[in-house]
Amino acid sequence: MFRSFFSYLAKAAWARNIVANWSFAWKMASRFVAGQTLADGIQVIKSLNDLGINATLDHLGENTDSPEKARRAAMDIVQAFEGIETAGVRANVSIKLTQIGMGISSELCLENLKLILEKARSYNSFVRIDMEDSTVTQKTLDMLFTARQLGYENVGIVIQAYLYRSEEDLHKLLGDCFKIRLCKGAYTESSHLAFPKMKDIDANYDRCASLLIDASLANDCPRVSADGKIPPVSGLATHDSKRIDFAKQYAQKMGLPRDAMEFQMLNGIRKELQEQLVKEGYRVRVYVPYGTEWYPYFMRRIAERPADLWFLLPR
């Protein structure tokens, strides 16, 4: 119930107009969001790098409603690459396709995506296309394949384990060493599209993680780059200790080197686990979001962790 309610609030304009103006809401959001400027994001990445953790910089935004806003978002993302290069930090960049115009036209989205990929390629860096809700899953994958057909090797995708289709999608992607971020999924979906029970999501996550590890070995896919920009094929995004333990044990059994997989987490969540994995010799990457469009991201984090709601209450 809580998950559905806060997922609804993430899209509700009336709720955004109220909550986004609450100072204590931003105080809570700042647990997850680096700040509202690129400089804020870079500063957090520097702190993570000092701990041996790589990062992905995420300029927040989605569902832009005009070509002008979509192009502006694309330029903000280009500036993120420039900020990473200038600061010399170990990071790449994540984007949402609705942020750069997919909801307006495929042509506009592709134009902006090519601009971003060209900038990333000029710095020998990488773009992760984030996965949004199921209404745009196929469109997102189609855009990914289009980018690859145009010769862009520096682009990867997110696959959400709670969708029934995800195992089949992975089979289509892994033969070509696409770099995959596997997460459980953060949106509210119908039971005819997604597993409604967490035990089934967990089981599918483990199946999909096994596919990633197997494909990394079978195709001799690349490992994480020394500068932290290029991730390996297997990006296991979870804060669930049981999922992490399963992946560690399966990778060890199959003989996958520790630098050929990556555990990925969100900024502000389970910091002690992030540091422990680094001490064990695993590669860790943390997603560092920043920007003024923090409200939807914040609400989805609350939907995932309703126990954090009490922090919102003024005292």
Side-chain angles (χ1 to χ4, degrees), residues 170-186:
L170 280 176
H171 282 295
K172 294 176 182 177
L173 292 161
L174 288 173
D176 291 326
C177 277
F178 276 98
K179 295 172 174 62
I180 310 296
R181 170 180 165 88
L182 177 67
C183 68
K184 291 188 181 182

Side-chain angles (χ1 to χ4, degrees), residues 59-77 95-116 129-130 132 136 139-140 143:
H59 182 256
L60 293 170
E62 56 195 83
N63 297 313
T64 53
D65 56 9
S66 74
E68 294 74 25
K69 290 179 182 178
R71 292 190 183 98
R72 191 180 313 130
M75 291 308 301
D76 287 338
I77 294 164
I95 66 172
K96 284 183 167 64
L97 293 184
T98 65
Q99 181 182 22
I100 60 170
M102 188 166 66
I104 300 168
S105 77
S106 295
E107 293 76 17
L108 174 64
C109 181
L110 182 58
E111 175 188 337
N112 287 327
L113 179 59
K114 287 164 61 179
L115 175 71
I116 293 164
I129 297 177
D130 204 356
E132 303 176 63
V136 295
K139 289 181 180 179
T140 301
M143 193 65 68

Side-chain angles (χ1 to χ4, degrees), residues 266-307:
L266 300 176
N267 183 54
I269 300 179
R270 302 215 63 183
K271 293 180 180 180
E272 78 294 338
L273 179 57
Q274 297 168 17
E275 294 179 32
Q276 179 59 39
L277 287 167
V278 170
K279 289 178 182 177
E280 293 173 9
Y282 290 100
R283 301 301 186 266
V284 176
R285 185 176 302 273
V286 167
Y287 264 53
V288 177
Y290 74 98
T292 58
E293 298 296 310
W294 54 268
Y295 171 80
Y297 179 86
F298 168 54
M299 282 297 169
R300 283 196 293 273
R301 299 293 75 78
I302 293 296
E304 290 174 332
R305 293 174 59 86

Side-chain angles (χ1 to χ4, degrees), residues 58-237:
D58 182 5
H59 182 256
L60 293 170
E62 56 195 83
N63 297 313
T64 53
D65 56 9
S66 74
E68 294 74 25
K69 290 179 182 178
R71 292 190 183 98
R72 191 180 313 130
M75 291 308 301
D76 287 338
I77 294 164
V78 165
Q79 289 174 6
F81 279 108
E82 294 171 349
I84 288 169
E85 193 69 15
T86 299
V89 291
R90 301 196 310 276
N92 53 36
V93 169
S94 172
I95 66 172
K96 284 183 167 64
L97 293 184
T98 65
Q99 181 182 22
I100 60 170
M102 188 166 66
I104 300 168
S105 77
S106 295
E107 293 76 17
L108 174 64
C109 181
L110 182 58
E111 175 188 337
N112 287 327
L113 179 59
K114 287 164 61 179
L115 175 71
I116 293 164
L117 291 171
E118 285 289 346
K119 175 57 71 172
R121 186 154 64 182
S122 74
Y123 290 137
N124 192 32
S125 194
F126 175 81
V127 177
R128 177 80 69 189
I129 297 177
D130 204 356
M131 189 61 75
E132 303 176 63
D133 65 44
S134 61
T135 62
V136 295
T137 298
Q138 191 57 52
K139 289 181 180 179
T140 301
L141 288 168
D142 289 345
M143 193 65 68
L144 172 73
F145 285 118
T146 297
R148 179 61 72 92
Q149 290 164 5
L150 291 172
Y152 295 104
E153 301 284 334
N154 60 331
V155 60
I157 195 69
V158 176
I159 294 295
Q160 300 173 117
Y162 67 174
L163 295 179
Y164 298 133
R165 62 175 290 168
S166 292
E167 186 173 348
E168 182 179 350
D169 286 334
L170 280 176
H171 282 295
K172 294 176 182 177
L173 292 161
L174 288 173
D176 291 326
C177 277
F178 276 98
K179 295 172 174 62
I180 310 296
R181 170 180 165 88
L182 177 67
C183 68
K184 291 188 181 182
Y187 297 86
T188 300
E189 300 288 359
S190 166
S191 61
H192 75 276
L193 296 173
F195 295 101
K197 295 181 179 179
M198 185 55 70
K199 67 180 181 65
D200 295 322
I201 297 172
D202 289 343
N204 200 47
Y205 190 98
D206 290 348
R207 281 193 297 272
C208 291
S210 300
L211 287 175
L212 284 174
I213 292 167
D214 290 344
S216 297
L217 285 165
N219 299 308
D220 193 24
C221 295
R223 304 180 185 188
V224 62
S225 63
D227 61 9
K229 293 178 181 178
I230 310 298
V233 164
S234 299
L236 304 173

